[in-house]
């Protein structure tokens, strides 16, 4: 049986109550924390830098920090986020112009002894991932257009997950991000995901209770 992880996306966290929210995260059954880095260019939104990740590293020391880079120049941000405490860094294939650069960036991330992931946007063909499946620790399927929380889940992304389930080695997890709630989580799990990212759904109520409804 595969181990399912929930990765609450702190894009939707209530920053006016940071401490209390982190306490709830620590007490919940989520073992991961998903951290969306946006630069205002790759996506039309701007979020956090490495110093904020450092804050989470302190406040949630036991959580696995999953960094999702939505930036034009992912290479530039690898070292700062490694130093800030990332356990895994994922970047978009669409951000790099050729496959060689993708291989190099995966190697660079691994050179810091952390995990590396590749992400594809909804319009990107899943087969672009084929040649990297033996190299990466995670593939992330976007089930909304990246940039904002609270969007509707795109069901037509599920065949990508089904394809990957058949083709990834045991060393590679499948993650899905965007529009996950108790209903869509069931569909994503059925299709074969290992990691559910959930932002607005988890933070709209008691975090522990919301997380539990995703994995029950
Ligand atoms: C969107 C981000 C997501 C976002 C998901 O670009 O990558 O991680 O936080 O938010 P929900 O779960 O609200 O769709
Ligand atoms: Zn994300």
């Amino acid at each position: 049986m595969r181990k399912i992880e929930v990765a609450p996306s702190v894009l939707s966290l209530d920053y006016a109550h940071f401490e209390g929210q982190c306490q709830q995260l620590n007490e919940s059954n989520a073992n991961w924390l998903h951290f969306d880095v946006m630069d205002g260019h790759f996506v039309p939104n701007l979020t956090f830098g490495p110093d904020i990740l450092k804050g989470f590293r302190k406040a949630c020391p036991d959580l696995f920090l999953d960094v999702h880079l939505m930036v034009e120049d992912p290479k530039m941000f690898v070292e700062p986020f490694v130093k800030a405490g990332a356990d895994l860094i994922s970047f978009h294939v669409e951000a790099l112009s050729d496959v060689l650069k993708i291989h190099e960036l995966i190697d660079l991330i691994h050179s810091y002894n952390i995990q590396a992931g590749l992400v594809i946007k909804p319009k990107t063909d899943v087969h672009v991932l084929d040649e990297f499946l033996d190299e990466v620790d995670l593939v992330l399927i976007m089930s909304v257009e990246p940039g904002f929380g609270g969007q509707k889940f795109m069901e037509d992304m599920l065949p990508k997950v089904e394809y990957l389930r058949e083709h990834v080695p045991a060393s590679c997890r499948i993650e899905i991000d965007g529009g996950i709630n108790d209903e869509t989580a069931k569909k994503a799990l059925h299709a074969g995901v290992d990691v559910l990212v959930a932002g607005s759904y988890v933070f709209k109520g008691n975090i522990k209770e919301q997380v539990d409804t995703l994995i029950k």
Side-chain angles (χ1 to χ4, degrees):
M1 258 257 300
R2 40 183 226 277
K3 168 124 170 63
I4 307 303
E5 300 290 357
V6 175
S9 168
V10 298
L11 193 60
S12 297
L13 185 139
D14 175 4
Y15 286 88
H17 302 99
F18 181 77
E19 240 175 287
Q21 297 262 287
C22 287
Q23 196 182 334
Q24 282 191 40
L25 283 166
N26 290 331
E27 287 164 2
S28 81
N29 287 315
N31 300 315
W32 287 38
L33 208 54
H34 184 80
F35 195 81
D36 287 310
V37 180
M38 306 185 191
D39 66 352
H41 294 280
F42 186 76
V43 287
N45 196 3
L46 186 64
T47 59
F48 334 93
D51 284 345
I52 308 293
L53 189 72
K54 264 188 216 159
F56 279 102
R57 179 81 290 166
K58 270 194 186 153
C60 305
D62 299 329
L63 295 186
F64 181 88
L65 298 182
D66 164 30
V67 174
H68 174 194
L69 295 179
M70 284 161 275
V71 299
E72 264 183 6
D73 185 359
K75 190 176 174 189
M76 182 170 117
F77 290 103
V78 167
E79 187 167 309
F81 279 104
V82 169
K83 287 189 170 157
D87 293 299
L88 179 150
I89 295 180
S90 299
F91 62 95
H92 276 260
V93 294
E94 301 89 356
L96 295 181
S97 53
D98 65 67
V99 292
L100 194 65
K101 290 201 170 108
I102 296 175
H103 286 292
E104 282 172 3
L105 194 46
I106 294 168
D107 288 347
L108 177 72
I109 295 170
H110 281 152
S111 75
Y112 292 101
N113 287 318
I114 66 159
Q115 297 186 21
L118 271 183
V119 196
I120 55 170
K121 291 188 194 180
K123 290 195 188 82
T124 301
D125 193 320
V126 68
H127 294 291
V128 303
L129 297 173
D130 287 348
E131 73 169 280
F132 306 102
L133 295 180
D134 290 327
E135 260 171 77
V136 289
D137 305 284
L138 176 140
V139 282
L140 168 49
I141 298 300
M142 290 305 301
S143 43
V144 297
E145 281 300 332
F148 299 92
Q151 302 180 70
K152 190 173 180 299
F153 183 75
M154 299 165 81
E155 296 226 1
D156 49 346
M157 295 301 114
L158 292 173
K160 290 185 185 178
V161 175
E162 287 162 5
Y163 169 79
L164 289 169
R165 189 73 275 157
E166 293 293 313
H167 292 88
V168 293
S171 54
C172 180
R173 288 181 162 110
I174 306 170
E175 183 176 48
I176 196 157
D177 183 6
I180 292 296
N181 57 39
D182 52 346
E183 294 299 319
T184 56
K186 282 194 196 92
K187 294 177 185 174
L189 290 171
H190 186 254
V193 304
D194 303 287
V195 187
L196 296 160
V197 175
S200 46
Y201 181 76
V202 163
F203 290 99
K204 76 177 180 186
N206 175 277
I207 294 171
K208 182 180 178 351
E209 286 170 18
Q210 294 298 99
V211 166
D212 285 348
T213 64
L214 293 175
I215 41 182
K216 69 171 184 261

